[in-house]
Amino acid sequence: MVSDDACELLCLDLPHAERIRASVPGVDDVESSAGHARAMGDPTRLRIAMALLVGDELCVCDMAWVVGASQALVSHHLRQLRTAGLVASRKDGRMVMYRLTDRGRLLVSVLLDVEADRSASTVQEADRV
């Protein structure tokens, strides 16, 4: 049985492969990026991040309503996003406000194929109407 995803013979172009191997970062060097990707690997976290991309800054109550999840679940996911460095928070009286970090904004924009600036401006325009 022949597999379509593997070579049938050893055909290593060692000089070419070694140049590429030298340019690929080591596991330790990409661990942080892999953590960011894992943090966005959950549909609820991705929806929360999209809400923050569009809404700029939201409290847990608003975010829970926007994504249709409990405040406890949203808080749990926000904690994971904050730990990964994709979300930042600030205390505003008795409320905690969340926003995407620059890295979080960039990652969400790439994953969902949207422009970060366009998403926020669309909501601001709708708020004015």
Side-chain angles (χ1 to χ4, degrees):
M1 182 162 139
V2 176
S3 174
D4 289 339
D5 57 356
C7 293
E8 293 181 33
L9 59 106
L10 182 58
C11 56
L12 184 60
D13 179 352
L14 192 55
H16 180 66
E18 190 55 39
R19 279 192 306 276
I20 294 169
R21 182 178 181 167
S23 69
V24 173
V27 173
D28 292 342
D29 298 327
V30 297
E31 187 61 40
S32 176
S33 295
H36 295 135
R38 279 191 299 275
M40 287 292 185
D42 178 89
T44 301
R45 285 193 295 272
L46 195 52
R47 292 185 72 228
I48 288 169
M50 183 61 185
L52 289 171
L53 181 68
V54 173
D56 191 41
E57 189 176 59
L58 295 167
C59 72
V60 176
C61 303
D62 288 342
M63 214 169 325
W65 189 85
V66 167
V67 300
S70 72
Q71 288 183 30
L73 181 65
V74 169
S75 291
H76 167 76
H77 285 300
L78 282 166
R79 204 168 16 261
Q80 291 179 309
L81 290 169
R82 190 176 60 221
T83 299
L86 301 176
V87 167
S89 63
R90 68 175 179 85
K91 194 87 163 154
D92 185 12
R94 296 177 71 182
M95 297 182 345
V96 179
M97 304 299 292
Y98 290 89
R99 63 178 169 68
L100 288 170
T101 61
D102 290 341
R103 181 174 298 240
R105 184 173 296 280
L106 180 62
L107 187 55
V108 173
S109 298
V110 169
L111 288 173
L112 296 176
D113 196 26
V114 295
E115 292 177 34
D117 295 336
R118 187 185 68 192
S119 298
S121 64
T122 301
V123 169
Q124 291 169 354
E125 289 171 16
D127 286 346
R128 280 184 280 211
V129 174

